[in-house]
Amino acid sequence: MRDETATAVDFPALRARLGAKALTLPVIFATGGEILDAAEPPPGVAVQRIAILGSLTTDFITRAVACALVLEGVWPVIYQAPFGSLIQEALDPGSPLHRFAADGVLVATDWRDGVDPLPIGASAEAVAAARADKVALFENLWTALARGGHCRILQHLMAPPPMRFCGPAERFADAAPERQVAALNAALLATGRGRVSWIETDRLAAEAGFTRFASPANYYAARIGFDQRFLPDYVAYFRAAFRAAFGRAKKALVLDLDNTLWGGVIGDDGVGGITLGPGSPAGEAFADWQSYLRDLRARGIVLAVCSKNDPEIAATGFTHSASVLRREDFAAFECSWENKADGIKRIAKALNLGLDSLVFLDDNPAECDLVAGALPEVAVVPLGDDPGKFIERLDATRWLYLESYTAEDLARAEAYAAREAAAAEARGATDLGSYLDGLAMRGRIWRPEEGDIARVAQLEQKTNQFNVTTRRFSEAEIRAFLGDDNAIVLAFHLRDKFGDHGLVSTLIAQPAEDGKTLHIVSWLMSCRVFSRTAEGFILRHLLALASARGFARLRGEYRPTAKNGVVADLYPRLGFAEDGAGEGGAQFWVRAVDAGDDIITAIALA
């Protein structure tokens, strides 16, 4: 790995952050178990087993991945497969790759994997047939690598080849290498949805310049797929895909106000004195930045404010005639003269999100340093003093990465607005029962259909707090559960008088070996609807199904993590009795199906 890569990932900072006395590289195994590099993980840092395989040299990628994952706060133990062994290692169940039992596998592809040597005049049908063969091959590889859902798959999208041949004529030829690669990427994205997390190597190549990124000299010298100068950029792209694959995605932006959403200080300059909108380059840049944030909100990213300001005066900034954003666009609005780290803690509590779900943006480097030091879980983006670069600075971090949009993503802003309206009503309520009844909640529960699977899988990947086992099921695995007549799969949708919260909870249960016990394999719920008695509504339905199928008992499982303490008492609250413990701190609870109707819920059936 080049020296500038080590500098870019800032090893001294990593030592300080992870408490390591010495940080070289994590354990990296080559073919046959040879240890290339080794360092012990710091105490208390989780270990992640990652395998890397591809059709070209992966040595430099291996070290970039090690750096990326340490930056993510996990300690990787990496298996580096032999050169060019992608297909053999994946499809042979006895290969070293499968014996390694990885948590995640990176498939490092290259444009050469996507191009068939077809004549330039080949028909569209011939090109499509060749592409279909490649898609089928990758599907087989994914199935083998996933090991029944126990392993997450990350894969490069293929950057186009650097050669351009005869210019515009290539754009009309289906067999042109660039068109073959683009079409294969599109087909793999569609086929791999819910199965694969994609590293946008094609976009990185476009930013770097195709010829500079994939110089033929590197390929001829050492079968290297792209220039190592771009490893620091690759680290950011890999981290984004890793977070998506392992349920670590960022969910909310926390923004300063003065010189962040407009130019000037609203308390001193007043609405008429701030810089925003037409009339100056800075004003136009701030307006475009607000438009960009509004569009992120429409895509499911939650917006919040944390500013040192008087809240009433601060809100007047959004009455400016050129303001694209309005006060109601923010799910939390924390304005005070206290330090921003404490304000961000209050925002996380108000939104019911973990601190590691938040990204903080501020123009003031001192505030950024304070938050980064006090709240290391929060991602911090220093915006600088040029609003024309704000979008670029946020985009470059790759913090906001979604693999697809669901209906719930696109309606999230309205759902949080409904949640805030309900919270405001709760603050004026004197009795919890009457408050919940006053919400006029209606629930719908059903066995998910094909159109629901993407959202169910998204909840599986992203939900950390109300998640009793933190098992992560992919779309393919959910389809497998749905294809099993013995399994019970439930989706729950909630609305109240303030709005529609969407599909917010899922439950998966399977018969135990004794044939009389129904075991809850997974149960999770969006943080937006905590404390609404939804768990009681869902359990009532599950008990009815269990009774109809002749089960005598329900068995629940709780596996504690650093984030799911909110459901530590879920089963005893719902009338379950202790039923022993298992490996990894697992706790089991059991309830008789005919124990009586003692379950309380304020939600009526829709």
Side-chain angles (χ1 to χ4, degrees):
M1 191 162 57
R2 294 171 62 96
D3 289 341
E4 66 255 38
T5 303
T7 301
V9 298
D10 193 357
F11 276 96
L14 289 178
R15 281 196 292 270
R17 176 178 173 185
L18 296 179
K21 293 180 180 178
L23 181 59
T24 54
L25 283 173
V27 180
I28 298 177
F29 294 98
T31 311
E34 176 193 359
I35 295 180
L36 299 181
D37 299 280
E40 289 296 319
V45 176
V47 172
Q48 199 100 47
R49 298 176 69 83
I50 303 292
I52 300 175
L53 62 160
S55 53
L56 298 180
T57 301
T58 59
D59 297 54
F60 67 109
I61 293 176
T62 297
R63 284 151 176 78
V65 167
C67 294
L69 295 183
V70 174
L71 283 167
E72 282 293 313
V74 298
W75 196 257
V77 174
I78 297 180
Y79 169 73
Q80 181 183 337
F83 169 82
S85 64
L86 169 60
I87 296 175
Q88 304 94 299
E89 287 267 310
L91 297 183
D92 178 6
S95 69
L97 167 70
H98 287 287
R99 293 199 301 271
F100 179 70
D103 302 307
V105 174
L106 168 60
V107 180
T109 56
D110 175 77
W111 66 263
R112 296 166 184 84
D113 300 313
V115 174
D116 267 295
L118 298 168
I120 194 64
S123 68
E125 291 76 15
V127 176
R131 181 169 61 251
D133 288 343
K134 290 186 180 297
V135 171
L137 172 61
F138 277 108
E139 283 191 281
N140 289 336
L141 295 177
W142 298 336
T143 299
L145 292 170
R147 300 193 340 268
H150 301 296
C151 181
R152 301 296 166 212
I153 301 169
L154 298 91
Q155 182 165 319
H156 289 181
L157 284 170
M158 299 172 200
M163 69 284 289
R164 291 295 173 265
F165 294 103
C166 299
E170 293 288 299
R171 299 173 184 265
F172 298 95
D174 289 297
E178 186 173 3
R179 289 196 65 185
Q180 284 195 53
V181 169
L184 180 58
N185 276 341
L188 290 175
L189 279 165
T191 306
R193 176 172 171 167
R195 302 181 69 182
V196 181
S197 293
W198 296 99
I199 301 166
E200 295 183 295
T201 325
D202 57 338
R203 181 161 289 175
L204 172 56
E207 292 175 354
F210 298 125
T211 304
R212 294 176 65 228
F213 181 76
S215 168
N218 289 313
Y219 174 76
Y220 297 133
R223 293 298 188 264
I224 293 175
F226 65 87
D227 195 305
Q228 296 179 64
R229 288 178 295 171
F230 301 107
L231 283 178
D233 307 282
Y234 176 84
V235 164
Y237 277 91
F238 175 86
R239 290 178 69 187
F242 172 80
R243 288 193 296 270
F246 287 88
R248 303 162 63 95
K250 304 297 182 183
K251 300 175 183 177
L253 296 180
V254 181
L255 298 133
D256 179 41
L257 293 177
D258 295 330
N259 294 309
T260 295
L261 292 184
W262 51 69
V265 178
I266 188 68
D268 295 338
D269 303 323
V271 177
I274 60 175
T275 303
L276 184 61
S280 71
E284 292 182 4
F286 276 116
D288 285 347
W289 168 235
Q290 286 200 19
S291 294
Y292 174 82
L293 295 170
R294 176 202 59 194
D295 292 345
L296 284 176
R297 180 180 181 271
R299 287 161 170 79
I301 303 300
V302 180
L303 301 184
V305 162
C306 185
S307 176
K308 287 184 176 178
N309 251 309
D310 178 282
E312 294 182 1
I313 295 174
T316 63
F318 299 105
T319 66
H320 191 284
S321 60
S323 182
V324 178
L325 293 170
R326 293 289 180 253
R327 165 63 184 85
E328 56 268 23
D329 290 328
F330 297 91
F333 201 80
E334 181 66 38
C335 285
S336 72
W337 299 106
E338 299 180 34
N339 76 75
K340 291 190 177 181
D342 289 342
I344 291 171
K345 290 178 184 177
R346 289 190 290 271
I347 287 171
K349 183 176 181 180
L351 297 178
N352 216 352
L353 294 175
L355 287 168
D356 58 354
S357 297
L358 308 182
V359 181
F360 174 64
L361 303 98
D362 200 317
D363 67 291
N364 187 329
E367 297 288 4
C368 291
D369 284 348
L370 181 147
V371 171
L375 305 174
E377 310 97 316
V378 175
V380 177
V381 181
L383 291 173
D385 57 7
D386 182 355
K389 294 182 178 179
F390 286 3
I391 296 174
E392 176 187 346
R393 287 182 182 275
L394 177 55
D395 268 355
T397 66
R398 312 290 164 199
W399 286 126
L400 306 177
Y401 182 99
L402 294 174
E403 295 186 311
S404 62
Y405 296 120
T406 66
E408 282 72 18
D409 290 326
L410 304 182
R412 185 168 289 115
E414 287 69 28
Y416 265 93
R419 183 177 181 275
E420 173 58 25
E425 184 160 305
R427 288 191 287 270
T430 58
D431 174 74
L432 177 61
S434 60
Y435 158 68
L436 291 174
D437 289 340
L439 289 176
M441 293 183 288
R442 295 291 182 270
R444 182 167 71 94
I445 194 162
W446 74 104
R447 189 175 180 87
E449 300 173 351
E450 180 62 31
D452 305 312
I453 290 177
R455 170 58 177 169
V456 173
Q458 184 186 62
L459 278 172
E460 287 282 346
Q461 299 306 315
K462 293 173 64 174
T463 306
N464 295 307
Q465 295 183 73
F466 193 121
N467 191 332
V468 294
T469 63
T470 322
R471 294 188 175 104
R472 309 286 187 187
F473 294 122
S474 66
E475 289 190 22
E477 292 167 285
I478 292 161
R479 285 191 180 90
F481 281 120
L482 289 170
D484 179 359
D485 290 338
N486 293 317
I488 291 176
V489 185
L490 299 176
F492 170 74
H493 177 283
L494 180 69
R495 65 175 299 115
D496 59 33
K497 68 180 183 181
F498 294 111
D500 192 333
H501 298 276
L503 196 168
V504 289
S505 184
T506 64
L507 185 147
I508 300 171
Q510 288 182 305
E513 291 183 1
D514 65 5
K516 288 296 183 181
T517 303
L518 183 64
H519 184 84
I520 298 173
V521 176
S522 174
W523 191 2
L524 46 89
M525 188 181 301
S526 168
C527 60
R528 297 201 305 269
V529 295
F530 283 6
S531 305
R532 296 287 196 94
T533 69
E535 56 268 40
F537 182 92
I538 295 167
L539 182 59
R540 277 187 175 181
H541 187 83
L542 180 63
L543 285 169
L545 286 175
S547 177
R549 295 193 183 194
F551 291 105
R553 291 172 298 278
L554 279 184
R555 193 172 194 234
E557 178 183 356
Y558 170 65
R559 291 182 173 270
T561 71
K563 297 182 180 180
N564 72 352
V566 70
V567 290
D569 66 342
L570 173 69
Y571 289 117
R573 280 196 290 109
L574 294 175
F576 287 67
E578 284 189 69
D579 192 40
E583 295 180 359
Q587 303 165 19
F588 298 97
W589 302 83
V590 67
R591 175 191 168 104
V593 168
D594 61 356
D597 188 8
D598 58 346
I599 301 164
I600 298 172
T601 182
I603 301 171
L605 188 65

